[in-house]
Amino acid sequence: MKSPTRVGVFGLLGSGNLGNDGSLEAVLGYLRAEHPEAAVDALCGGPEVVTSRYGIPATRLHWYRGEYRTASRVGAIAGKGLGKLVDAVRTAAWVRRHDVVIVPGMGVLEATLPLRPWGFPYSLFLLCASGRLLRTRVALVGVGAAPIGNRPTRALVRWSARLAAYRSYRDALSRDAMRGMGVDTARDEVYPDLAFALPTPPTSVPSGPPGGPVCVGVMDFHGGNDDRARAEEIHRRYLDGTTRFVRALVEEGRPVRLLTGDACDAPVVAAILDAVDSPLVTAAETASLAGLMKETAAADTVVATRYHNLICALKVGTPTLALSYAAKSDALMDRMGLAAFCHPAREVDADRLLEQFRALEKRSAELRQTLAERNAVAARQLKDQFAELTAVLFPAHALREAP
C-alpha cells in the first residue's frame, strides 16, 4: 500500500495574526477536499494554537523561545545566536520528513512592517535552502512581496524565492517586486489572496439608506522598515486621526465597532475606547477571519487598516474604505473596484477621511453590486490556483483525475 503524501505547512501561524491563520485555513480546506489522504503537519510560530484549532500536529518554528523579544542581556544574545545554528538543523530535519512543504499566503517576501533579517527572512531561507538540498518541493502559494531596501533582508528574500520549487503571488505588484529583485518570474502566476477561498457567512443588505453601524479596523501601526526613525510620530498621527474620525461618527449617532487583526492591536483599541468614551463604541473579540467576516457583514460600512480586515469586508460585499499602509492595500482595493477609497495610514486626516467616507456611503448600493461581481471572479481564479497547485505538487493525483 502506498504511503500518504507528507505535506508540511510553514509560517508564523498560530501567533495571533488572523490573516496568517486565515491563509492556513484556506490551504487546509483545499488539502482536505482535494487530497484527503495527505498527512499534514506544521512548523510554525504557535504550535499549540495550530494543533488545537486545526487538528494537525505542529512543531515550534524556533528553538529559542525568546526569538521575537528584544535581547539586551548577554544570555539572551547568546541564546538567539545559538538558536540560529540549532534552527538550521531543526528546519532541515523537519523538511526531510516531507514530500511537499507549503507556505500559505502571508507577506513572507515583504518588509512593509518592521522586520529584522535574522528573524523570519532567515527562517524562510533555511526552509527553501533545505528543500532544494533535500529535494523536497517548497511552494510559496499566494504570497505577498514588496521592494526591500535593507540589503541583508533583500538577499535572504531573493534567495528564498529562487530556491522555492513553486511561487504564486496575491497581486501583480508582488510579482513585479520579485522580478525587480532579480528573481525569474516568467512562470509565476498571480491569483487573489487565499482568504477569498474561505466560506462566506450569510449576509443581508441594509434595507434603508446608510446610517447604521460602522466597523473601524485599527492597527498598532508604526510605519515600515524604512520608518524606524519616525515610528512614534507615525503612530501618534495614525492614532490621533483615527480617534478623531471615530469621535465624529459617534457625534452623528453612528454605532462604531472596533476590529483588530493581530493580538498586538489591543492597545490601540483601548486608547480609542478611553479617548472617545461612549457606549456607541464597542470592541469586537474575534479569533478568526470567519469572525471578522461576520462583524463586517453586519455593518453598513467598513473603514480598516490591516490587509485582512479589508479582505474580510470586501469578501462579504460591504462598502469599504482603506487606511492604506502599503501598496498591497491599494492593489487590493483596485482589484475589487474601490481604488478611489484609499486614505494614507501614515497621514490620517480625519476631515478628509470623513469626506471620503460620506462619498463611499452615497455609492453604497452600486459598490455592493461591484463587490459581488469581483468576488465571483476571485472564486473562479482561486479554483484555478488550487488546480495548478495539484498539477505541480501532486502530479500523480492530477494524472488520475485527468479525463
Side-chain angles (χ1 to χ4, degrees):
M1 182 177 178
K2 187 178 179 181
S3 60
T5 303
R6 299 164 300 174
V7 181
V9 290
F10 175 94
L12 293 176
L13 309 165
S15 301
N17 184 289
L18 302 187
N20 292 356
D21 291 354
S23 297
L24 169 62
E25 187 176 342
V27 165
L28 289 178
Y30 151 71
L31 291 172
R32 286 163 178 165
E34 301 297 328
H35 306 281
E37 78 290 348
V40 184
D41 72 305
L43 183 63
C44 59
E48 298 86 0
V49 172
V50 167
T51 296
S52 64
R53 185 174 296 166
Y54 303 109
I56 61 173
T59 302
R60 185 173 296 281
L61 179 59
H62 300 292
W63 172 79
Y64 181 62
R65 290 178 175 266
E67 175 62 33
Y68 292 105
R69 294 196 295 268
T70 301
S72 55
R73 296 183 178 180
V74 173
I77 294 171
K80 278 197 174 187
L82 178 60
K84 301 305 174 187
L85 299 176
V86 175
D87 284 345
V89 177
R90 292 175 70 252
T91 301
W94 182 81
V95 168
R96 184 189 290 275
R97 299 199 299 268
H98 297 84
D99 302 300
V100 173
V101 173
I102 296 175
V103 181
M106 306 176 285
V108 297
L109 303 176
E110 64 180 49
T112 52
L113 296 176
L115 183 71
R116 298 295 189 187
W118 53 84
F120 188 78
Y122 173 74
S123 299
L124 184 66
F125 171 74
L126 290 180
L127 174 81
C128 296
S130 297
R132 179 62 64 92
L133 288 170
L134 300 170
R135 298 184 179 180
T136 296
R137 288 163 288 176
V138 174
L140 309 180
V141 181
V143 298
I148 297 173
N150 180 271
R151 293 180 65 181
T153 303
R154 185 171 65 247
L156 288 168
V157 164
R158 180 173 61 244
W159 278 107
S160 296
R162 285 176 173 173
L163 292 169
Y166 172 86
R167 297 179 299 269
S168 66
Y169 306 98
R170 64 190 180 192
D171 52 48
L173 289 174
S174 295
R175 183 171 61 184
D176 292 346
M178 294 315 299
R179 184 184 299 122
M181 283 190 269
V183 176
D184 181 1
T185 61
R187 297 183 180 181
D188 300 353
E189 296 292 341
V190 173
Y191 297 100
D193 190 279
L194 289 170
F196 281 101
L198 294 173
T200 305
T203 59
S204 59
V205 178
S207 56
V214 180
C215 280
V216 177
V218 301
M219 180 177 177
D220 185 28
F221 180 60
H222 293 78
N225 247 11
D226 298 331
D227 299 316
R228 290 180 182 273
R230 50 190 293 260
E232 288 309 312
E233 175 195 347
I234 289 171
H235 180 67
R236 186 171 58 255
R237 291 188 66 174
Y238 169 78
L239 180 57
D240 289 349
T242 305
T243 301
R244 284 187 59 205
F245 174 71
V246 170
R247 184 178 291 114
L249 292 178
V250 167
E251 289 172 353
E252 295 176 2
R254 301 290 293 270
V256 175
R257 190 81 161 149
L258 299 178
L259 308 178
T260 62
D262 195 297
C264 69
D265 298 331
V268 178
V269 170
I272 293 174
L273 289 172
D274 183 63
V276 179
D277 191 22
S278 167
L280 288 175
V281 186
T282 56
E285 294 184 7
T286 52
S288 66
L289 292 194
L292 280 173
M293 280 190 268
K294 288 179 182 178
E295 293 285 349
T296 56
D300 278 8
T301 314
V302 174
V303 178
T305 311
R306 278 200 180 274
Y307 183 76
H308 280 89
N309 276 198
L310 295 175
I311 287 179
C312 288
L314 297 168
K315 182 171 168 54
V316 299
T318 303
T320 302
L321 198 160
L323 288 175
S324 176
Y325 66 90
K328 63 183 178 183
S329 300
D330 297 333
L332 171 64
M333 295 292 283
D334 182 56
R335 176 192 282 269
M336 300 303 289
L338 280 79
F341 299 103
C342 294
H343 189 96
R346 283 172 175 78
E347 299 178 2
V348 178
D349 180 329
D351 294 333
R352 172 63 183 146
L353 186 57
L354 277 167
E355 290 177 11
Q356 290 180 286
F357 175 80
R358 290 176 180 131
L360 177 75
E361 292 210 315
K362 286 180 181 178
R363 296 177 55 189
S364 179
E366 168 201 343
L367 293 175
R368 285 181 180 274
Q369 180 60 36
T370 298
L371 288 172
E373 295 167 358
R374 300 297 174 97
N375 275 305
V377 172
R380 291 195 297 269
Q381 291 173 329
L382 281 169
K383 285 184 179 180
D384 294 340
Q385 160 74 102
F386 291 137
E388 181 184 56
L389 204 57
T390 290
V392 173
L393 300 183
F394 305 90
H397 181 94
L399 288 173
R400 290 198 305 270
E401 295 295 318

